[in-house]
Amino acid sequence: MQAFAASTATGKFAQTEIARRAVGANDVKIDILFAGICHSDIHTVRGDWGKPNYPTVPGHEIIGRVVAVGDKVTKFKVGDVAGVGCMVASCGECENCLNDREQNCLKGTTFTYYSADKVSGGVTYGGYSDAIVVTEKFGIRIPPGVDLAAFTPLLCAGITTYSPMQHWKLGRGQNVGVVGLGGLGHMAVKLAAARGAEVTVFTTSPGKIDDAKRLGAKNAVLLSDGDAVSGLAGTLDLAISTVPESYSIMPVIAALKLDGTLINVGALGQLESINGMMMAFGRKSFAGSLIGGIAETQEVIDYCAARNIKADIELITPDQIDRAWDRVMAKDVRYRFVIDMTKGRKA
Ligand code: NAP
Ligand code: ZN
């Protein structure tokens, strides 16, 4: 089947042929309608997390239509709309899998792309493609009537920001900082505002200050505005950092209250040093968080459907992927690119 693949770290996308496994007894085959572009796609292809084998087919925000189901499948039937997020398999037996934390599988989660494929060998291929085959457990039910394209980013950007809000129990009236207003950041603003939290956005882009407020933030400051940032010292219960690379993080930690936590969901490489004195005197915590489990992914989908929460997207066609990636790198994404995978297919 057709997919759009990058063949070098800096190369452009081109159509290529990939094979998907036959539909097994517990599998569903999904014809892909929409695929979101996550900054993790770019990190992977550009080799930020290790040199990939090319061609790489990214994409872990996927919504499509079920076109085949295996004999034992009960969760889906042909014609249903289904989603796939960042994972397609895990051991299912370890302590973390048994606690609905498949993303933290002790035997190694199989991520949607560029993971060793334990079923069919080789590596997994993501959503920039015509179709995908997954076990029903890793398929997410998509409620009827939702805006499918704008719902697609919930499968990564949504769950990745929802999960820490659940774990750290972000509640009504609490103050939360969101650092970086891109795909994850804009979902963090919407999801935090929906819980009644007061959101402060930290951005490097002057042009996003007004957007932050439109998306639900009470306050937005430029990270480069030292006075505005230091004026926030000791005000935040929680902060979620979505910045894709290491940056000067101490001003955000200074904005936390006593016992506040900064959760990094952004850069997954080496981060800048943290000042031990400030952490100790404020009994502050620095934490990380990785996407969310399958049950929690279904939860955020149902939560957003019930409240009409969705991403702000720019819908593009597959021939526009290269340009969209350039714009993501230039921080010019408002606020998630979603590829209409039905366009530009070879017959
Ligand atoms: P994105 O759409 O590119 O948004 C990132 C935003 O961060 C940018 O728009 C920009 O916002 C800000 N930014 C970029 N470079 C910066 C810098 N040097 N200093 C300060 N701010 C900067 O990316 P995304 O798709 O939201 O992903 C964000 C990160 O999360 C990526 O690293 C991705 O790999 C990671 N991620 C992690 C998980 C997880 O499970 N933990 C899941 C998905 C993605 P402003 O213009 O507002 O400054
Ligand atoms: Zn992602």
Side-chain angles (χ1 to χ4, degrees), residues 28 66 69 73-78 80-83 136 139-141:
V28 294
V66 174
V69 296
V73 169
T74 56
K75 189 170 167 184
F76 297 99
K77 57 184 188 322
V78 169
D80 285 351
V81 177
E136 62 171 336
I140 305 295
R141 285 192 222 90

Side-chain angles (χ1 to χ4, degrees), residues 46 75 85 112 269 282 320:
R46 301 267 154 98
K75 189 170 167 184
T112 303
Q320 296 171 322

Side-chain angles (χ1 to χ4, degrees), residues 171-193:
R172 183 163 294 283
Q174 285 194 311
N175 293 316
V176 60
V178 173
V179 194
L181 198 60
L184 267 57
H186 98 290
M187 284 315 309
V189 172
K190 290 186 183 210
L191 290 167

Side-chain angles (χ1 to χ4, degrees), residues 37-43 49 60-61 86 156-157 160 179-186 201-206 208 223 241-248 264-268 288-292 327-333 335-336:
I37 294 179
C38 177
H39 206 115
S40 300
D41 304 352
I42 303 177
H43 286 307
W49 297 334
H60 58 202
E61 295 176 339
C86 302
C156 173
T160 302
V179 194
L181 198 60
L184 267 57
H186 98 290
V201 166
F202 298 77
T203 178
T204 62
S205 303
K208 294 184 185 172
L223 270 171
S241 178
T242 74
V243 174
E245 55 194 34
S246 182
Y247 67 106
S248 174
N264 174 56
V265 295
L268 301 182
S289 185
L290 183 69
I291 47 175
R327 285 187 50 199
V328 172
M329 291 306 293
K331 306 180 205 173
D332 179 25
V333 49
Y335 278 91
R336 199 59 142 184

Side-chain angles (χ1 to χ4, degrees), residues 98-136:
L98 292 174
N99 284 310
D100 293 323
R101 301 277 303 273
E102 299 89 352
Q103 77 276 30
N104 305 118
C105 175
L106 295 171
K107 292 188 182 156
T109 307
T110 304
F111 293 100
T112 303
Y113 59 80
Y114 204 61
S115 253
D117 189 331
K118 296 183 182 104
V119 180
S120 42
V123 297
T124 53
Y125 294 119
Y128 296 13
S129 58
D130 283 355
I132 189 165
V133 177
V134 292
T135 55
E136 62 171 336

Side-chain angles (χ1 to χ4, degrees), residues 1-79:
M1 71 182 60
Q2 293 293 317
F4 291 84
S7 295
T8 64
T10 52
K12 303 297 180 198
F13 275 83
Q15 253 179 327
T16 186
E17 278 289 323
I18 57 165
R20 297 285 188 191
R21 69 172 184 255
V23 178
N26 296 304
D27 287 341
V28 294
K29 182 176 183 184
I30 300 165
D31 262 7
I32 297 173
L33 299 169
F34 299 108
I37 294 179
C38 177
H39 206 115
S40 300
D41 304 352
I42 303 177
H43 286 307
T44 303
V45 167
R46 301 267 154 98
D48 295 345
W49 297 334
K51 191 176 181 302
N53 282 324
Y54 300 104
T56 304
V57 179
H60 58 202
E61 295 176 339
I62 299 167
I63 285 185
R65 194 160 300 276
V66 174
V67 290
V69 296
D71 293 346
K72 294 190 178 154
V73 169
T74 56
K75 189 170 167 184
F76 297 99
K77 57 184 188 322
V78 169

